[in-house]
Amino acid sequence: MKKSLLAGLFAAAGLAFAASAFAQLPAKMVPLAADVVVLSATVDSVDVKKRTVVLKDANGNLAQMNVAKSVNDLDKVKKGDVFLVEHAQAIAVGLTAAGKDAKPGVSGVRTVVIAGKGAAKPFEETTDTIYATVKISSIDAKTRIVTFTMPNGEKQKVKVDPAVLGLEKFKAGDDVIIEFVDDTAIGFVTPKK
């Protein structure tokens, strides 16, 4: 999924937050598309006092990383541990018609941050969930491909899962509510021997 899609939604988020938007969300949003990237590097050294970790990639290149104070238990990180970053983006649609007065754009954003404390190794996960009203540009009922026009004008094609019922009730030009999830998990793990 394109990063500009979420960046555009985050930029628009400052324009309108409506608490009532959460009340009109469908009970079940079905994921339509997802993209996951996992990056890893080996810990070369740790300086707990300076809160820095030197990482080595698969090619032997070194990079220093400053660790925020919000990351707990840095003293548990040791040379040879593996640093992992997992970034996932997903789009989900409940195919709920937006209200007649709903304007295209972001109607709500929810951010959840979980920082491990007392875990075997430090980790942090940040999840941003963005609710937006978008317009259906086209629907291909046979292939179940729907093209949405995002608030920033960008087009996004998604394949609608067969679990999403009622696709035939929608047509080009309808406004629907969609959910974007942007999740980043960062942590250290002890390699298996």
Side-chain angles (χ1 to χ4, degrees):
M1 221 179 292
K2 298 177 184 174
K3 291 190 181 192
S4 62
L5 176 87
L6 282 172
L9 284 174
F10 276 118
L15 300 177
F17 292 115
S20 62
F22 293 106
Q24 61 180 326
L25 291 177
K28 181 179 180 185
M29 299 292 266
V30 179
L32 297 181
D35 183 29
V36 179
V37 176
V38 178
L39 304 171
S40 67
T42 304
V43 174
D44 190 65
S45 64
V46 179
D47 188 330
V48 176
K49 287 185 182 181
K50 291 182 181 177
R51 298 198 61 83
T52 60
V53 175
V54 176
L55 301 170
K56 184 187 297 185
D57 69 12
N59 297 324
N61 299 314
L62 298 176
Q64 181 175 307
M65 176 180 76
N66 295 319
V67 180
K69 291 181 181 179
S70 64
V71 175
N72 298 305
D73 302 321
L74 182 61
D75 58 321
K76 294 181 179 178
V77 177
K78 306 294 180 219
K79 181 177 181 164
D81 284 349
V82 176
F83 174 70
L84 293 172
V85 176
E86 182 177 290
H87 181 250
Q89 291 182 326
I91 181 174
V93 173
L95 285 182
T96 296
K100 292 181 182 183
D101 58 345
K103 300 211 182 318
V106 173
S107 56
V109 176
R110 182 177 54 220
T111 299
V112 177
V113 178
I114 299 170
K117 188 167 189 170
K121 298 285 181 188
F123 71 91
E124 182 172 290
E125 182 171 9
T126 303
T127 304
D128 292 313
T129 305
I130 303 162
Y131 301 97
T133 300
V134 299
K135 187 170 292 300
I136 295 176
S137 301
S138 66
I139 297 178
D140 184 332
K142 287 183 182 179
T143 63
R144 297 186 64 87
I145 301 285
V146 177
T147 303
F148 297 109
T149 301
M150 301 300 157
N152 64 2
E154 184 177 331
K155 303 279 187 189
Q156 177 75 40
K157 282 186 179 184
V158 294
K159 180 161 179 64
V160 178
D161 190 281
V164 176
L165 302 176
L167 181 62
E168 68 283 353
K169 295 177 185 174
F170 292 88
K171 63 186 180 324
D174 286 348
D175 289 326
V176 294
I177 298 172
I178 61 173
E179 175 182 341
F180 293 91
V181 178
D182 188 45
D183 184 83
T184 303
I186 299 172
F188 295 87
V189 294
T190 302
K192 293 182 180 180
K193 296 179 181 183

